Amino acid sequence: QSCHRPAGQRASQEPGSGGLPEGVEYIPTRKKGKNPMKPVGVAWYSLYARTRLGYLFYQRQVKKARERYPHGHSVPQPYCFPGVKILPIPVLSNNYSYLVIDTGSSQAAVIDPSDPLAVQAAIEEEGVVLEAIFCTHKHWDHSGGNEALCQKHSSCRVYGSALDAIPKLTNPLADREKVTVGCLTFEALATPGHTVGHMVYVLDGGPFGSPACLFSGDLLFLAGCGEPFEGSPETMLASLDVAMGLGEDTLLWPGHEYALECLTFASLLELDNAALEQKLQWAVQQRQEKKSTCPSTLGEEQTYNPFLRTHRPELQEALGLWQGGGEDPDAFRARVLKEVRRRKDLYQAT
């Protein structure tokens, strides 16, 4: 597989009626592979996240996805910088695992190994030694491959938050703690909300002359964010603010391929957002060719992701929300975030 470097890819045509390229039909992703975590009730979430029934359901997911997508739900495209290779691994019906390689030492780490067979195949094809598993959170679609990979790779360590029941966790991490794999340095950031122990991982790009890379799990997607299953809107807002403090050129590598669904929803909120229209048009073309839509950049996300635009008057006005007299600005932003989440959940349910 050849590598290519991230580039801001924008289309000049506008989406919407008559705006798609000739011969291209828009098909919403929610009509395809379903995410079992949305919409979801409290009882079902408890069973999925806290009992063996969740693991059995995950195994069924894996089996069905392997049958339906024998080569993955998307065409993987490696990204290379001097000394680093990032390989997205499409797993299940819309998840991504990521194999991050120090090309000098052939040491590697994997983020969120959902399907151990797919991850192991990538490890063997790349000819690398797996030294670390970084788990963003406990959900089986992000941690289900931990045990099998640890059995295969005796030197591999599993990193994550002690607050989440991460399978085979060997090295609990604290907020802002750093881990080195070969010449790669990852920093763990506590970002609770989706789960109480959710963490994201930031690869330092400085030594390689590249932007930082944010592996965001279920905190942040292209034009979307994760459900706050175990946190309040205030908690999720604070976690999103942590991510947004990383810098606009940071590359975003999300845990799911949700771009079309999230961008389409966002376009219903901000009808005159040109950046959003262009990104939707580009994403439609990518998905028609089964290409991944990641990475984006955090700077780009701020122009069209409604969950990152709670401070923008145009979004507040579109939602019919106004800051009350004496209302704390962050409390108001949390109220805006809660309303965006409510509308997104209703959109998914239709």
Side-chain angles (χ1 to χ4, degrees):
Q1 291 175 309
S2 62
C3 292
H4 83 246
R5 294 173 180 269
Q9 194 168 1
R10 295 295 180 90
S12 58
Q13 292 173 287
E14 294 186 357
S17 58
L20 298 183
E22 185 176 354
V24 174
E25 176 187 6
Y26 167 61
I27 305 173
T29 52
R30 69 183 189 279
K31 301 288 187 184
K32 299 181 180 181
K34 295 181 180 179
N35 175 3
M37 302 306 295
K38 62 179 189 181
V40 64
V42 174
W44 165 240
Y45 177 74
S46 296
L47 289 173
Y48 179 84
R50 300 184 176 94
T51 73
R52 181 165 175 78
L53 286 176
Y55 179 67
L56 295 175
F57 184 82
Y58 152 76
Q59 288 184 312
R60 181 170 174 266
Q61 276 186 284
V62 172
K63 182 176 182 294
K64 290 178 67 175
R66 287 173 180 169
E67 292 171 352
R68 183 172 184 180
Y69 306 107
H71 304 294
H73 58 73
S74 301
V75 179
Q77 178 61 62
Y79 281 77
C80 295
F81 309 102
V84 182
K85 182 176 184 178
I86 299 174
L87 178 62
I89 306 172
V91 289
L92 303 184
S93 62
N94 52 41
N95 282 71
Y96 285 111
S97 301
Y98 296 97
L99 188 65
V100 186
I101 302 168
D102 169 15
T103 56
S105 67
S106 293
Q107 293 178 288
V110 66
I111 291 89
D112 288 353
S114 306
D115 183 345
L117 290 187
V119 173
Q120 181 60 29
I123 291 169
E124 293 177 2
E125 183 175 345
E126 297 295 328
V128 296
V129 178
L130 184 65
E131 297 288 353
I133 293 171
F134 292 102
C135 254
T136 59
H137 62 293
K138 64 190 174 187
H139 292 158
W140 292 111
D141 63 323
H142 293 258
S143 66
N146 290 5
E147 183 172 2
L149 288 171
C150 286
Q151 290 175 352
K152 194 97 176 166
H153 303 272
S154 58
S155 65
C156 183
R157 298 291 179 263
V158 179
Y159 298 88
S161 172
L163 298 178
D164 265 17
I166 292 174
K168 297 299 176 181
L169 181 68
T170 60
N171 292 64
L173 294 174
D175 183 33
R176 307 284 174 175
E177 190 169 351
K178 295 182 179 181
V179 178
T180 299
V181 177
C183 293
L184 309 174
T185 300
F186 295 86
E187 182 177 13
L189 301 178
T191 51
H194 185 66
T195 66
V196 69
H198 194 286
M199 281 187 150
V200 298
Y201 299 98
V202 182
L203 174 65
D204 182 7
F208 312 104
S210 71
C213 292
L214 170 62
F215 299 94
S216 61
D218 281 1
L219 170 69
L220 188 61
F221 311 128
L222 193 153
C225 84
E227 288 273 3
F229 289 125
E230 299 180 12
S232 65
E234 291 77 11
T235 301
M236 184 62 84
L237 178 65
S239 292
L240 291 170
D241 284 347
V242 167
M244 295 316 298
L246 294 174
E248 293 189 354
D249 64 341
T250 301
L251 299 178
L252 173 65
W253 301 92
H256 290 270
E257 180 58 69
Y258 289 159
L260 281 186
E261 178 182 311
C262 290
L263 287 165
T264 303
F265 165 72
S267 71
L268 301 177
L269 297 181
E270 293 193 69
L271 302 179
D272 299 319
N273 186 325
L276 172 56
E277 292 175 351
Q278 290 177 351
K279 191 67 176 184
L280 176 58
Q281 171 68 24
W282 173 81
V284 167
Q285 294 173 337
Q286 288 291 103
R287 297 310 296 158
Q288 285 289 337
E289 299 173 16
K290 296 189 183 299
K291 292 181 180 178
S292 170
T293 57
C294 58
S296 61
T297 69
L298 294 185
E300 213 184 342
E301 289 296 314
Q302 291 181 75
T303 67
Y304 53 67
N305 188 330
F307 295 94
L308 301 179
R309 292 171 59 78
T310 54
H311 62 294
R312 300 293 300 184
E314 54 267 45
L315 178 63
Q316 297 164 4
E317 183 178 349
L319 297 172
L321 296 176
W322 289 268
Q323 186 173 354
E327 184 177 14
D328 179 80
D330 284 343
F332 176 54
R333 289 177 58 219
R335 190 154 60 88
V336 174
L337 184 70
K338 182 178 180 180
E339 178 61 15
V340 175
R341 180 77 265 169
R342 185 188 72 83
R343 294 193 185 200
K344 180 65 163 61
D345 291 342
L346 289 173
Y347 173 78
Q348 289 170 173
T350 57

